[in-house]
Every structure is written in C-alpha cells, then in structure tokens.
C-alpha cells in the first residue's frame, strides 16, 4: 500500500533506466481522463496521473492497468505540499478544475515541463452574468484560474494552451446528457422550460481527449485560448429529442411555462444536485462558440451529436 506522496509504476514502466515521463496528467479520473489515458497509452506516451485517491484502490488500479498508464501518484492540488517528488516530465495536462492549477503549478513545473495544456470551460463566458451567485462565483474562479495559469506559464517561459469546452458528455458517465437519459428511462417523459429553443453544442469527452493529445505537439497553439464546441449546433429541445432517439424511444416532451419551471427548480434545488433556477432561462439562450480557430490551428473536427446509450 502506498502512502500519500508516493509514486507507483506498473510493470510496463522502464522507469528504472529512464524516469522521465512525457505527460503529467491531472484529473485522470475525470470524464475526459477516461479517454485520454487510453489515447496516451495507445500513442506510447508514458504518463503519470495524479489523483487524490490512493493509487492502489481497486478502481484506480483497474483503470490504470486498462489504460496502460505508467504510474499513479496520490496528491491533492489544493495542498501542493502533499504532491510527491515528481520525475522529470515534458508536458502537463490538466483536466481538473482550472482554479486548482495555479497553486500547484510552481511545484509541477519543477519537473522541467515546457508545455501546459489546461481545460477551463465556456462557463467562464456564459455564467459570468448569471443571476445565480454560485454560478457567477464559478465563472470568476474559472477566470482567475485562467489568468493565473497564463501568467505563471509566461513567467516561466512555458508554452501554455487553455481549452474551453462546451457541455461535455460521455454516454453513461456525465451529469448532462447521461442525466437526461437516466430521467427519460425512469419517467418516459421530460419537462422543458418553454420551447427549449436555446442553441447547444454538446461535445464528446473523447474528442476533447483527442484535442489534448494533439496539442502536446502543436506549438502554434501556445499562448492561446480555444473554445471547443461539439460538431453540431442544435436547440436544447433537439438535443433532448436525440437522447430519446438514442434510447429507441419516441420523444415525449412536456412544455412547462417558464415561471412554473422557475418555481419548481427553486423548490427542488436543495435535493437536485446542481439544479438552479437559472437552468430554465438558459434553455432559451444560445450558448454557442466558434470552432473556427481550433479547426484552423490544430484540425478540431468533433463528431456530430448522436449519442449511443
Ligand atoms: N463537465 C462538463 O460539462 C464541463 C464543461 C466544460 C468544461 N469542463 C471542464 O473540463 C474539465 C474536466 O471536466 P469533468 O466534468 O470531466 O471533470 P470531473 O469529472 O468533475 O473530474 C474532475 C477531476 O479533477 C480532479 N480533482 C478535483 N479536485 C482535485 C484536487 N483537489 N486535487 C487533485 N485532483 C483533483 C479529480 O480527480 P480525483 O477525484 O481522482 O482526485 C477529477 O479527476 C474540468 O476542467 C472542467 O472544469 C467540464
């Protein structure tokens, strides 16, 4: 059993002769991480994942072996002192909330990494004027995290790229599309606030994993922030209809007048994780971003929204 601060290596590691890893991966247990660990392994890039969970927990061990991850280290980014002694590394990929990165970055950069790719969110833009204080606070933390990450990297002469995905899904694992699927399976019908005409661009976690891997060797992307929307722009209602279709069901959508929706969500928010009264209003708002710069700079071409449950 390892202790906090220790680094494990699996039997495929050749670290006895060369401790250098290509990638330090923060947030390997995230939605994107489950795909990125596999892509890194397929690309033959040695990786050290950092997680708060003990590296030997059965769940992590299975994930580590399946993904071919080189090693798994225990550490909490909010307490950089708990991070283990890290081996020399080439790149840092951060899939954890970006506001956790700046406090840990000085220690992580001691590895000699010259490349940082960090995920933020389009919520940085869409929630900055939310009527809900908690949502504005998230947007502000994202904004601060982005600014500090860029500034620390610039001061260290490290090439940094920030990525802002839209709504992320991975069939059966996310809290967005998969949650809709779960509700549809359970109730057979889904309520929407008004017409649900606001535009969305759901993006698959595996496409984001592709972007992170591709960007390791994309020097033209250094110092830039990219929006990473999904491959299709559709209304919230059409998104829900697609989820019904993916479950082999005819869409059954209940149109709820927005004031009634607001009241319902306000009452339900203490028991419904992540639910806020602003969610209904957002169903009428377009939350769209331009994929053009990412397409031009590194070939971003995500899949259309056809989830398969
Ligand atoms: N979900 C979305 O729809 C969405 C949309 C836009 C952008 N994003 C961004 O995309 C990235 C991935 O999102 P996600 O939803 O896939 O993330 P997630 O499933 O919530 O995972 C968060 C990750 O951060 C790690 N983490 C959290 N606190 C930590 C700490 N104190 N120390 C070390 N690691 C910590 C967790 O690792 P352990 O638990 O193993 O420690 C976990 O792997 C995030 O930057 C998020 O802000 C998400």
């Amino acid at each position: 059993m390892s202790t906090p601060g220790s680094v494990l290596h699996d039997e495929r590691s050749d670290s006895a002769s060369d401790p250098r890893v290509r990638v330090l991966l923060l947030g390997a247990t995230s939605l994107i991480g489950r795909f990125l660990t596999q892509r890194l392994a397929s690309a033959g890039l040695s990786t050290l994942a950092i997680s708060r969970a003990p590296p030997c927990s059965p769940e992590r061990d299975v994930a580590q072996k399946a993904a071919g991850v080189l090693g798994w280290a225990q550490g909490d980014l909010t307490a950089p002192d708990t991070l283990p002694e890290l081996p020399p590394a080439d790149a840092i990929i951060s899939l954890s909330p970006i506001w956790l990165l700046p406090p840990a970055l000085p220690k992580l950069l001691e590895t000699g990494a010259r490349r940082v790719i960090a995920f933020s969110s389009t919520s940085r833009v869409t929630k900055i004027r939310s009527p809900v204080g908690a949502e504005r606070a998230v947007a502000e933390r994202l904004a601060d995290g982005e600014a500090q990450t860029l500034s620390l990297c610039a001061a260290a002469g490290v090439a940094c790229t920030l990525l802002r995905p839209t709504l992320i899904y991975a069939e059966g694992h996310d809290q967005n599309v998969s949650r809709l699927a779960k509700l549809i399976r359970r109730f057979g019908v889904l309520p929407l606030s008004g017409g649900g005409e606001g535009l969305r661009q759901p993006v698959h976690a595996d496409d984001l994993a592709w972007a992170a891997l591709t960007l390791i060797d994309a020097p033209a992307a250094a110092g830039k922030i990219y929006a990473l929307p999904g491959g299709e722009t559709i209304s919230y209602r059409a998104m829900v209809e697609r989820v019904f279709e993916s479950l082999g069901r005819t869409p059954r959508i209940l149109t709820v007048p927005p004031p009634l929706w607001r009241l319902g969500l306000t009452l339900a928010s203490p028991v419904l994780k992540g639910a806020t009264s602003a969610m209904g209003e957002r169903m009428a708002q377009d939350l769209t971003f331009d994929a053009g710069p990412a397409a031009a700079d590194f070939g971003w071409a995500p899949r259309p929204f056809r989830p398969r449950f």
Side-chain angles (χ1 to χ4, degrees):
M1 182 78 179
S2 72
T3 52
S6 66
V7 177
L8 287 190
H9 296 283
D10 77 14
E11 63 274 10
R12 275 163 290 194
S13 164
D14 58 355
S15 60
S17 53
D18 179 11
R20 169 168 287 276
V21 295
R22 286 293 314 277
V23 177
L24 272 185
L25 182 60
L26 316 178
T29 57
S30 68
L31 280 178
I32 306 169
R34 69 173 50 233
F35 296 98
L36 184 55
T37 46
Q38 289 168 22
R39 284 187 178 272
L40 288 163
S42 301
L45 298 186
S46 56
T47 301
L48 176 63
I50 295 176
S51 167
R52 288 166 299 177
C56 318
S57 76
E59 198 189 352
R60 298 292 185 276
D61 203 38
V62 168
Q64 176 183 341
K65 290 280 187 282
V69 167
L70 168 72
W72 202 286
Q74 189 175 6
D76 186 332
L77 295 173
T78 60
D81 292 346
T82 68
L83 294 174
E85 281 308 311
L86 296 167
D90 294 334
I92 296 164
I93 299 180
S94 167
L95 311 176
S96 39
I98 193 161
W99 55 80
L100 298 180
L101 186 55
L105 206 45
K107 169 124 187 191
L108 297 171
L109 290 177
E110 285 172 12
T111 58
R114 310 306 296 158
R115 184 84 179 97
V116 169
I117 296 149
F119 279 80
S120 175
S121 171
T122 50
S123 296
R124 153 77 180 81
V125 179
T126 56
K127 291 186 178 162
I128 204 81
R129 283 185 195 83
S130 167
V132 177
E135 292 188 350
R136 282 197 309 280
V138 168
E140 279 157 19
R141 291 172 93 187
L142 289 166
D144 286 349
E146 285 187 357
Q148 287 178 39
T149 300
L150 287 172
S151 138
L152 284 165
C153 286
V158 168
C160 177
T161 302
L162 301 186
L163 302 174
R164 292 177 181 162
T166 50
L167 177 161
I168 304 175
Y169 71 98
E171 292 88 340
H173 302 290
D174 64 278
Q175 293 296 319
N176 303 311
V177 170
S178 299
R179 180 141 88 166
L180 294 177
K182 208 168 152 188
L183 291 171
I184 291 169
R185 276 203 191 99
R186 184 153 178 208
F187 300 110
V189 60
L190 214 63
L192 285 193
S193 171
E197 64 273 18
L199 296 177
R200 294 293 181 279
Q201 297 164 310
V203 61
H204 199 282
D206 191 32
D207 289 336
L208 297 168
W210 174 89
L213 179 66
T214 302
L215 281 163
I216 294 174
D217 293 316
K224 295 192 179 168
I225 303 178
Y226 294 98
L228 294 185
E232 249 184 305
T233 302
I234 52 177
S235 69
Y236 196 97
R237 188 183 185 91
M239 185 175 84
V240 170
E241 287 171 351
R242 296 267 179 96
V243 180
F244 269 98
E245 285 158 16
S246 72
L247 296 168
R249 298 188 186 217
T250 305
R252 288 181 60 212
I253 295 173
L254 196 64
T255 302
V256 180
L260 197 60
W261 176 279
R262 258 195 308 280
L263 179 68
L265 258 278
T266 306
L267 294 176
S269 55
V271 286
L272 221 57
K273 195 180 159 219
T276 69
S277 57
M279 284 169 73
E281 271 126 70
R282 265 204 299 278
M283 283 183 199
Q285 291 166 5
D286 295 345
L287 307 180
T288 54
F289 293 83
D290 182 9
D297 285 4
F298 58 94
W300 175 244
R303 72 197 71 185
F305 183 62
R306 295 281 175 196
R308 279 178 287 180
F309 285 97

